[in-house]
Structures are given as C-alpha cells and as structure tokens.
Amino acid sequence: MNVTALAAQTPEAVRAALAARGWEAQPAWFAAVGIQQLVVLIEDITEAEREALVHWSAKSGGGADVLTGAGWALVAGAASRIAPLARYDRAPAELARLAPALGRLLAARAEPPRSWAIRGAELSLESPVIIGIVNVTPDSFSDGGHLPSVEAAIEQGARLAADGARLLDIGGESTRPGAAAVPVKEQIARVVPVIAGLAKRGLGPISVDTRKAEVARAALDAGAAVINDVSGLRFDAGLAAVAGDAQAGVILMHMRGTPDTMDDLAKYGHVAAEVAAELGGMAERAERAGIARERIVVDPGFGFAKTATQNLRLLDELATIVALGYPVAVGVSRKRFLGAATGRPVEDRDRATAVGCALAWERGARLFRVHDVALTREALALASATTNPT
C-alpha cells in the first residue's frame, strides 16, 4: 500500500490524480472542486435559521462544521457536503433564504468566468490579462509627468503592448491619496488625443481611467472599449448609462470616499468580507442600471482606503472577492503596501509588483494593471503555467 498526500490548496492536484486514473476532464474537475474545503460566512440570519443550521450539521454526520453567534454562522466542509443547502428540495425549509445566494457562490466556484465582454470584442481570461498603465498626468504617485506629450504617451502605449499588455489604460486624473480633482475639459484634452492616436495605430483595446461620464463618452467616441472607474460608478450618476449604452466593458473598483478623504476611511472589522460585500453591491447596481453582467470586472482597490496591513490581508484573502462570480482585476503596481513589506522606494517596486500579481493569480485574479508589463508578464507566465500546465 502506498499513501500520497495531495496538494490540498488547489483542486488541480485532485483533478490531475483523477485524470491520470482514467476520469474524463469535466467530471474530474467538478469532483476536484466538490471535495475541496469551503468555508462560508453567513450573516444577518435569524435565530430560527441559526438553529436549523446547527441541526442540519448534526444530521449530516459531521460532514460540515458550523460555528454560530448572534446573527451569523460559519459553515466549513467539503463543497459537496455544503451543496445540499443550495437546493430547495434538500435543504431544511427554515433555510430557504440561504439557497439562492449559496447556489450562486457554488456556481461561481465551479464555473468561473472564462472571458470578459468589452465594446466590440471579447478578452479570454484563460491566460493573464495584463493592463498597461499610461498616465498622462503631471501628479500621479509614481510616474507623474513622465509622458509630457501626446506622442510620448502613444509611444509608451506601443512599448507596453509590445511587452505583452492586452489592454492599455489611459488616465488623465491622478487618484493618489490627497489628489485634487481635474476639470472635465482638461481630462478630455489629456486623454482623447492619446486614445485616438493609439486606436489609429491599431494598438489596444483601450481603457479610459475616469470617474466622469462626459470624459468616458469622449473617450469611447475616440476608440476606447473599457471604462475603469475607481469610484465603482458612485461618483457620477450618469456614467452607468454611458457604459451601458455603449456596451463597454467596465471595471468597478472599491474605494471609500474620494482620493482626498479615503485614508481616513480605512476602518474594517474584516477587510476581505467587507470589501466583497461593498463590491457585490456595486456590481448589482451596475446590472440594474443596464450594464450586462458579462461586461463587469471588479477590483478590490488595493491602496484605496486601506492600510498596508489591510492590503496584505486582502491579497491573501483575494478568493473572497473572486467568489462574487465576476472576473477580478488587481492594481498593486508600486503601491505603498509593497514598500511597507519590502522597504523599497516607489521607483523600485516593480519586482514586488510582479510577485504580488503572481500571488493574486493563484488566488483567482485574472486581470493585472501594472506599470512594468514585461517583468509582470514573466512572473504571471510562471504562475499561470502551474495552474494551466501544457
């Protein structure tokens, strides 16, 4: 008899073991996901629901553990053991409210998004999508003023595309802590010529980094296909309609307050769970406003209304954001928390950025917004090779 410990942190280990022993690809994957450990936090439950969960756990013969408190419960066990709670015909009647939300979570876990629909195209998420940053601002935190002309910005975009960027993100307003707002006309004057020049050269697709509907509309007219909004559509009420009407891809980022106030709002009891809840609410509002689900990407907003410790905790628990069921983008590039961890100044954080992106890929992120595309591409090539072996 031979006993081998499999790598429990990834379903790939179980899938490979089953496939090597004759299982077909899809059944092997679903079985691997099904027996992997799942921990679910359930909040805002009634006393009757809490008691029903405890009773269900006892009847399951120890297949799942349940910890409870006033208004909440934590359920842990193999996904296949917890899955009956998502079925109306299997779950106790007292837990009917739980079924739809748990069903969505399990579905997202078993079948994560494989592509992202943007304006006029679709981006595959089977391999990392690197988003190259082109800041045409004088005051961005790490590269402000580095691109003093339209021609310089277009050439930078061309270099990033050559290095492996699959999307170019053009920004005309700094969102660093304490940054002042830029008037709409000035933003348009900064970003539209660059977007039009990149589009003319066939470089793209192109994203515009803006919170403002008028800027987004001008950028889309110039050739942009994606709107990247750090406010998650909360700053400008008209932006959702612009995105929906244009059928643009949308990146919804988590931030509390504004760049001027966000550092004072970095107060969380459990950062990953709270960011996930707030992002989920943003995405739901976007869908209600007419933006199709397949066009939405969520971004946990590293560095925005979060301390260094909170950013590191959020990176480690990124699977909580992935469980929302939307593709996840991360923007860790050169952020302060990387400096806190490594001691490196802002101009020397590209290696730490690449490592952070590789860790984020392992935890389920699929889009990565960075300044140094070439270095990040190498790190992600290795990280993705471990999860998608050829």
Side-chain angles (χ1 to χ4, degrees):
M1 179 182 294
N2 184 42
V3 179
T4 302
L6 298 182
Q9 83 277 6
T10 169
E12 177 61 27
V14 174
R15 184 213 61 78
L18 295 174
R21 287 153 183 82
W23 281 49
E24 293 183 3
Q26 190 173 43
W29 174 254
F30 282 124
V33 172
I35 69 171
Q36 193 176 26
Q37 184 79 359
L38 176 65
V39 183
V40 180
L41 175 65
I42 308 165
E43 297 180 280
D44 301 321
I45 63 173
T46 66
E47 183 65 23
E49 289 168 330
R50 188 172 70 151
E51 290 181 4
L53 269 174
V54 173
H55 184 64
W56 167 82
S57 174
K59 284 184 63 179
S60 72
D65 294 315
V66 175
L67 304 176
T68 69
W72 62 269
L74 191 151
V75 183
S80 59
R81 296 283 189 174
I82 297 173
L85 291 176
R87 293 180 52 176
Y88 291 106
D89 61 334
R90 299 279 299 277
E94 298 89 341
L95 297 175
R97 280 204 310 147
L98 175 60
L102 182 59
R104 288 192 296 271
L105 187 153
L106 292 170
R109 181 184 174 91
E111 288 285 0
R114 306 292 182 186
S115 63
W116 177 31
I118 64 175
R119 192 182 196 193
E122 191 172 275
L123 291 179
S124 171
L125 303 177
E126 298 290 350
S127 59
V129 175
I130 300 179
I131 304 171
I133 298 171
V134 182
N135 278 328
V136 284
T137 57
D139 58 345
S140 290
F141 78 97
S142 77
D143 57 356
H146 286 197
L147 301 173
S149 68
V150 171
E151 292 73 21
I154 293 171
E155 288 305 315
Q156 173 68 359
R159 283 190 292 271
L160 295 176
D163 286 342
R166 293 169 59 191
L167 182 69
L168 298 173
D169 191 47
I170 317 303
E173 179 182 48
S174 174
T175 50
R176 62 178 173 77
V182 176
V184 165
K185 288 185 178 179
E186 187 173 347
Q187 272 195 68
I188 290 174
R190 289 177 180 180
V191 302
V192 164
V194 177
I195 292 170
L198 290 168
K200 185 176 180 180
R201 289 181 56 173
L203 295 168
I206 301 163
S207 168
V208 61
D209 179 359
T210 187
R211 301 175 288 168
K212 298 170 182 174
E214 197 173 339
V215 176
R217 187 180 293 109
L220 292 166
D221 289 344
V226 172
I227 298 168
N228 177 17
D229 180 8
V230 298
S231 80
L233 300 180
R234 292 179 296 178
F235 181 83
D236 187 334
L239 187 52
V242 171
D245 291 345
Q247 297 188 326
V250 177
I251 301 175
L252 304 176
M253 199 196 78
H254 177 272
M255 176 175 65
R256 290 177 173 175
T258 66
D260 194 41
T261 64
M262 61 184 178
D263 280 354
D264 294 329
L265 301 174
K267 297 176 176 65
Y268 304 88
H270 182 186
V271 65
E274 292 173 48
V275 169
E278 292 172 30
L279 272 176
M282 291 178 203
E284 289 175 8
R285 287 191 292 273
E287 290 190 59
R288 289 197 300 269
I291 300 172
R293 183 182 181 91
E294 63 269 18
R295 299 188 181 278
I296 296 173
V297 164
V298 297
D299 179 342
F302 288 98
F304 289 80
K306 298 164 190 79
T307 66
T309 298
Q310 289 163 352
N311 282 306
L312 291 166
R313 192 73 263 125
L314 186 57
L315 178 59
D316 190 40
E317 297 182 33
L318 196 62
T320 297
I321 312 301
V322 173
L324 292 171
Y326 300 90
V328 172
V330 296
V332 301
S333 193
R334 301 177 181 172
K335 293 290 175 71
R336 285 185 297 180
F337 81 96
L338 299 179
T342 65
R344 295 292 183 179
V346 65
E347 66 273 12
D348 191 21
R349 294 177 189 163
D350 288 328
R351 291 185 302 275
T353 296
V355 173
C357 288
L359 292 171
W361 169 272
E362 290 180 343
R363 288 154 174 78
R366 290 299 176 259
L367 301 101
F368 309 87
R369 184 178 181 274
V370 299
H371 298 85
D372 189 323
V373 170
L375 191 60
T376 300
R377 179 175 54 79
E378 286 192 23
L380 287 169
L382 177 59
S384 62
T386 66
T387 52
N388 293 318
T390 55

